Amino acid sequence: MPQNEITGRCYCGATRLSASGPASVAYCHCTDCRRWTGAPVTAWVGVADATVALMPAPAPISVTEGVTRWACPACGSPLAARFSYLPGQTWLAMGTLDQAASLTPTLHCYAGEALPWLHIADDLPREQASGHEVL
Ligand SMILES: [Zn+2]
Ligand SMILES: [Zn+2]
């Protein structure tokens, strides 16, 4: 688990974020994350809620019960999410982070929902569901 100061920003720069490690890093192949980000797979960096600042704080978006997401109100970049089955953790969208190159995923979540043409050649564990037991 990397001990990191984590910083990032949205596409347009109107919303910035900061957090600090230790961080858990995982891919999510679920259809909700896919639709929200528009990407075939999402990578997330999980940190303690109390370390996270979104500046200025966007309004929360909640569509699926137990899941809250935050995006930049100006450009729509997905920034962060919380999942009720992962209490105390906020998950930051990897693509917005300045330290993305050094935050290496250790797990695939919802591997059963992965797109059939997507082949990530690693030996990481593949959880068929959320992986909340190990995150
Ligand atoms: Zn923005
Ligand atoms: Zn997901």
Side-chain angles (χ1 to χ4, degrees):
M1 283 199 172
Q3 293 278 350
N4 285 358
E5 287 303 312
I6 296 168
T7 53
R9 66 168 178 84
C10 68
Y11 175 57
C12 78
T15 309
R16 297 186 173 272
L17 63 84
S18 68
S20 55
S24 303
V25 187
Y27 293 102
C28 188
H29 296 275
C30 88
T31 54
D32 274 8
C33 288
R34 191 154 70 220
R35 203 169 287 280
W36 187 57
T37 61
V41 62
T42 305
W44 290 105
V45 177
V47 293
D49 288 345
T51 73
V52 177
L54 296 175
M55 302 159 288
I61 302 162
S62 191
V63 174
T64 301
E65 187 176 351
V67 180
T68 304
R69 299 175 187 266
W70 289 267
C72 175
C75 72
S77 283
L79 297 170
R82 288 180 183 158
F83 306 91
S84 60
Y85 52 81
L86 296 168
Q89 301 176 28
T90 298
W91 291 79
L92 308 174
M94 177 69 86
T96 65
L97 302 179
D98 299 323
Q99 296 79 20
S102 61
L103 292 161
T104 305
T106 61
L107 183 69
H108 291 267
C109 302
Y110 289 103
E113 297 183 30
L115 290 170
W117 45 257
L118 182 69
H119 302 291
I120 298 178
D122 63 36
D123 296 324
L124 299 179
R126 272 139 166 100
E127 295 282 341
Q128 293 307 301
S130 69
H132 70 272
E133 305 90 346
V134 294
L135 289 170

